[in-house]
Amino acid sequence: IMATKRRSEWEERPAKRAGGGGRRVDAPCVLKILAPEVLASAIIGKGGAVVKEIRESTGAKLAFTDHGEVYPGTDCRVLTASAASEPALIEVAAQVSQKLAEVVEAGRDQDANGLPTLKTVLPRAAVSGMIGRGGAAIKQLREATGCKISIAEPTTGGPDADQVITIVGPKRGIEQVLAEVVRVVHGAHAEAWFEGWASNPNTVFGQSRPPREDRRVGWGAEAAGGEYYQETSHRREPPASDRAAWRGGGAVVGGSNPNAVANLMSVASSLPSFVLDDTRGFALSCIVPNRLVGGLIGRGGSGTKEIQANTGTKIGIREIPGDPDNRSLNITGPLADACAAYMLMMKRYLEAEASEASAPAR
């Protein structure tokens, strides 16, 4: 059952691309901010009035991830702001800082010392510009702004790996730090990986996850209710050909190795709830040949879209810098769902491989 939420114009719903990811961002200046719900609400404003004003006054585009679609390890939605120039995006940063200050003044969001706290996400390649040689640049920035600035380890390898920067300090100081973030990120916009990084919020399903009793390993019974993943509020039934092998509970059929399937189901059913319920989500990645990507994603991305809708995961296929023959397949989501999506993608991979092998030689 597909249930599409009606959304207001101000939400600027991300447009889905083949292979997963968020709305396409092709502007040279990008700023990603991690916004707890209280800050997101302040930036959006009643009826979207505030975010509309920010867009009109700066000429920038602003888009939030959906409710419950949060950055791994946080309860924050991702705000992606993009613009054609640094000054426009710096003005966005100033207005976001103002909203953060108002939230803190109201006592709704602050660190232990009562200071505003903001997290922003940068690509790994841009972080070196923030730090400078021997840490000189970030030391100077801390002294000039009066802010505490901490940089998390990159999430993966590669120049486009996310690194989260946490800024704690006065409103004006946060504005200055964000202006420097805008500058160093803009410096990387000509890189081949930049658009992919800018367009992908790298989020996982978080707060709106259905209760434990409403989830099943495989397909099983349909979820009883609640928003599950973006446009779907219930899982869809898979194609009839896939149901028998994936039903949770009962006899397991399908496949030529029943022991392997039984082992898989046994492990899944024995996992404690804290593993299956971990809200941070999990990520699975592998390398796939570029020539098989079309078969993997299907016409117009239909294959990956169907698996995403059925499993509540996010699936992305991204270029690998310096490797034109292969791409990186990335799946993020709750553990059981990510594993299910991986197996379904491997089914598509083997089908694409077999189709290629049987095609007439050219």
Side-chain angles (χ1 to χ4, degrees):
I1 299 172
M2 291 291 288
T4 303
K5 293 190 302 178
R6 299 181 65 85
R7 303 179 65 88
S8 304
E9 181 182 358
W10 50 264
E11 282 276 9
E12 192 171 310
R13 181 172 179 80
K16 291 293 159 188
R17 299 182 297 149
R23 66 183 295 276
R24 182 170 180 266
V25 176
D26 55 6
C29 299
V30 176
L31 177 65
K32 293 185 181 182
I33 290 173
L34 303 187
E37 196 59 48
V38 64
L39 178 58
S41 297
I43 295 171
I44 293 170
K46 187 174 182 180
V50 174
V51 74
K52 181 180 178 182
E53 171 59 28
I54 295 175
R55 290 186 183 123
E56 291 177 349
S57 64
T58 64
K61 295 181 179 179
L62 282 77
F64 279 94
T65 54
D66 285 346
H67 291 282
E69 189 184 352
V70 298
Y71 195 81
T74 76
D75 61 354
C76 299
R77 294 165 69 182
V78 180
L79 166 61
T80 301
S82 58
S85 68
E86 288 184 21
L89 212 52
I90 290 171
E91 178 57 28
V92 171
Q95 295 193 42
V96 168
S97 298
Q98 176 60 38
K99 289 302 168 186
L100 175 62
E102 293 172 6
V103 167
V104 171
E105 186 175 351
R108 292 185 290 166
D109 188 46
Q110 59 192 41
D111 82 337
N113 298 315
L115 293 172
T117 300
L118 192 68
K119 294 178 186 288
T120 182
V121 182
L122 284 74
R124 182 180 183 181
V127 171
S128 59
M130 286 281 294
I131 297 173
R133 180 170 296 182
I138 197 165
K139 179 181 178 182
Q140 183 178 3
L141 189 62
R142 286 170 177 146
E143 293 174 350
T145 63
C147 290
K148 296 178 183 178
I149 306 171
S150 59
I151 302 175
E153 290 295 315
T155 54
T156 60
D160 59 343
D162 280 352
Q163 284 193 259
V164 176
I165 293 184
T166 302
I167 312 162
V168 181
K171 169 182 169 291
R172 179 55 182 160
I174 290 178
E175 289 180 24
Q176 292 174 302
V177 176
L178 289 179
E180 181 64 11
V181 168
V182 170
R183 186 188 70 80
V184 297
V185 173
H186 182 209
H189 81 277
E191 300 294 335
W193 48 262
F194 184 83
E195 183 181 315
W197 173 84
S199 302
N200 189 355
N202 286 325
T203 49
V204 297
F205 188 88
Q207 292 175 310
S208 298
R209 185 172 179 145
R212 177 77 181 95
E213 59 271 17
D214 289 342
R215 297 198 304 275
R216 303 290 188 272
V217 176
W219 299 115
E222 214 170 54
E227 179 184 341
Y228 195 78
Y229 174 75
Q230 295 186 353
E231 70 273 11
T232 58
S233 63
H234 295 76
R235 291 193 190 189
R236 274 193 301 143
E237 274 291 293
S241 59
D242 290 342
R243 290 177 195 160
W246 285 95
R247 288 199 180 277
V252 178
V253 296
S256 59
N257 188 345
N259 287 335
V261 178
N263 288 338
L264 175 65
M265 299 303 293
S266 176
V267 169
S269 62
S270 68
L271 289 175
S273 60
F274 75 86
V275 176
L276 293 175
D277 294 340
D278 194 308
T279 59
R280 292 173 297 177
F282 294 82
L284 297 173
S285 300
C286 67
I287 305 300
V288 295
N290 202 27
R291 69 180 191 278
L292 297 181
V293 168
L296 269 175
I297 66 176
R299 187 183 297 274
S302 59
T304 50
K305 288 176 182 177
E306 181 178 29
I307 293 174
Q308 286 181 127
N310 286 337
T311 62
T313 58
K314 289 181 68 67
I315 301 173
I317 298 178
R318 304 171 67 180
E319 294 181 354
I320 302 174
D323 187 355
D325 298 326
N326 297 292
R327 292 200 183 188
S328 174
L329 167 63
N330 306 287
I331 301 172
T332 57
L335 179 59
D337 302 320
C339 291
Y342 182 81
M343 287 187 283
L344 290 171
M345 287 299 291
M346 289 303 98
K347 175 177 176 285
R348 292 192 63 86
Y349 173 86
L350 293 173
E351 289 172 345
E353 192 176 50
S355 177
E356 180 189 51
S358 62
R362 294 182 179 179

